[in-house]
Amino acid sequence: MTFDKGVYELVRPDQWQGGVIFASPHSGRCYPEWFLAETQLDSQQLRSSEDAFVDRLIAPAVEHGAVVLTSNVPRCMVDLNRDPGEIDPLVVADARPGVMTPRIMAGLGVIPRVVSQGRAIHHRPIPQAEADSRIERLWHPYHQTLAALIDEAVARFGGAVLIDMHSMPRDALAHLPRPRPDFVLGDRNGVSASPRISTAIIDIVTKAGYRIRRNSPFSGAYIAAAYGRPVNNVHVVQLELDRSLYMDERKIEPRPDFDRFAQRFAQIVAQLAKLRPDQTDAAIAAE
């Protein structure tokens, strides 16, 4: 298995100002020829599982003193927002037995079985060796870098705020009453970030003129669970953005007014970059 392009892009500001990290683990769109040869889907169908263009939307964070980490790895090859042990036995031949999580049963393990609309990615199960290689060469480098950034932020600023940025299909909100949210904030029901951080993000988004919902239908996945430790001043918020606001979901192309939306979103990013770890949380928990 080869992956010629780097696993991720890491962009640092001239001066990191406060321990804020923006990350996009699902915006990768580098599809190697070997992968395209072994899938039964065309590139347009594969891209339906991308958080397309989210990397472009969060790029301005660097100008405001935050670090930006974006993946080049397509989600349909390996999902960086899953536990590496979430192996689907229907995807990996002779997979070692493990706990069948709801995500695995839905076909959304660390090596996904399906993309949107339940379309199967592979002709047949892949060998265990290939699955191990994808996780070792693609999953681990991203997470090693993310963990190192969080550790650096804690050392330098006393804590970290990770904005784990995602996009959601408009159809994912179809079951919700109108008016439907433009954003969904997930903090694992208060486990991965302090109320102060989550409330501040909600206020920023609301003041920008958008509707935001908390922890439903997305409360946060592996990254929020693995890294969010408010008691240690490490706050992780998964922030989902309605794709229909900025892209044509069928064509996977930016809308004609993409630049206008990107300018509005950049104002939100600028405010989020000013967040600071809540250093009172650890003291409160210790009392």
Side-chain angles (χ1 to χ4, degrees):
M1 186 203 77
T2 58
F3 191 80
D4 295 333
K5 191 170 178 61
V7 169
Y8 58 82
E9 305 290 338
L10 173 61
V11 184
R12 290 175 173 270
D14 291 337
Q15 183 176 357
W16 195 2
Q17 295 181 1
V20 178
I21 304 162
F22 285 79
S24 175
H26 287 163
S27 56
R29 53 185 175 273
C30 300
Y31 294 87
E33 289 299 324
W34 63 264
F35 178 75
L36 294 175
E38 75 173 31
T39 177
Q40 59 188 354
L41 302 179
D42 61 36
S43 58
Q44 194 78 355
Q45 292 170 322
L46 292 171
R47 293 198 66 200
S48 67
S49 67
E50 281 180 23
D51 287 343
F53 316 118
V54 166
D55 53 343
R56 289 170 57 178
L57 291 173
I58 65 174
V62 175
E63 302 169 15
H64 300 284
V67 171
V68 175
L69 176 68
T70 58
S71 170
N72 291 322
V73 179
R75 181 184 186 182
C76 57
M77 282 180 59
V78 61
D79 192 332
L80 302 177
N81 199 23
R82 295 290 181 266
D83 188 301
E86 288 188 282
I87 301 294
D88 187 341
L90 296 180
V91 173
V92 181
D94 301 318
R96 293 181 287 271
V99 177
M100 289 296 290
T101 67
R103 288 183 291 268
I104 292 175
M105 290 187 284
L108 300 174
V110 67
I111 310 266
R113 183 186 344 130
V114 299
V115 294
S116 65
Q117 300 178 16
R119 292 172 290 198
I121 297 169
H122 300 92
H123 290 287
R124 60 188 66 85
I126 66 173
Q128 179 73 57
E130 180 180 330
D132 291 342
S133 181
R134 289 193 200 181
I135 293 168
E136 180 63 28
R137 299 181 64 179
L138 305 177
W139 191 96
H140 281 291
Y142 181 90
H143 282 275
Q144 288 165 357
T145 297
L146 180 57
L149 285 171
I150 292 172
D151 288 346
E152 181 183 349
V154 170
R156 292 177 58 179
F157 307 107
V161 177
L162 170 61
I163 309 295
D164 191 47
M165 194 72 209
H166 297 261
S167 66
M168 53 188 176
R170 185 65 174 170
D171 288 349
L173 308 174
H175 65 290
L176 297 177
R178 296 178 183 272
R180 295 169 184 162
D182 304 305
F183 291 77
V184 175
L185 179 150
D187 61 9
R188 298 189 64 81
N189 298 297
V191 173
S192 68
S194 77
R196 187 184 74 88
I197 294 293
S198 294
T199 300
I201 294 172
I202 290 170
D203 288 346
I204 289 168
V205 171
T206 301
K207 288 177 181 177
Y210 293 101
R211 294 182 296 274
I212 185 167
R213 187 180 176 98
R214 188 171 182 177
N215 289 313
S216 176
F218 308 106
S219 64
Y222 173 78
I223 289 172
Y227 297 103
R229 298 290 183 272
V231 70
N232 297 326
N233 291 331
V234 176
H235 309 271
V236 182
V237 168
Q238 179 175 292
L239 196 58
E240 297 270 0
L241 171 63
D242 181 356
R243 293 175 185 171
S244 69
L245 291 172
Y246 64 92
M247 65 178 278
D248 182 320
E249 294 186 75
R250 183 178 61 83
K251 296 180 180 179
I252 315 181
E253 294 178 352
R255 282 177 31 158
D257 59 352
F258 177 89
D259 288 343
R260 186 184 310 163
F261 174 80
Q263 290 174 358
R264 287 189 67 187
F265 189 74
Q267 296 173 1
I268 294 175
V269 167
Q271 292 299 309
L272 295 177
K274 296 177 182 178
L275 293 171
R276 296 295 178 262
D278 185 356
Q279 295 185 347
T280 66
D281 286 355
I284 291 171
E287 291 177 357

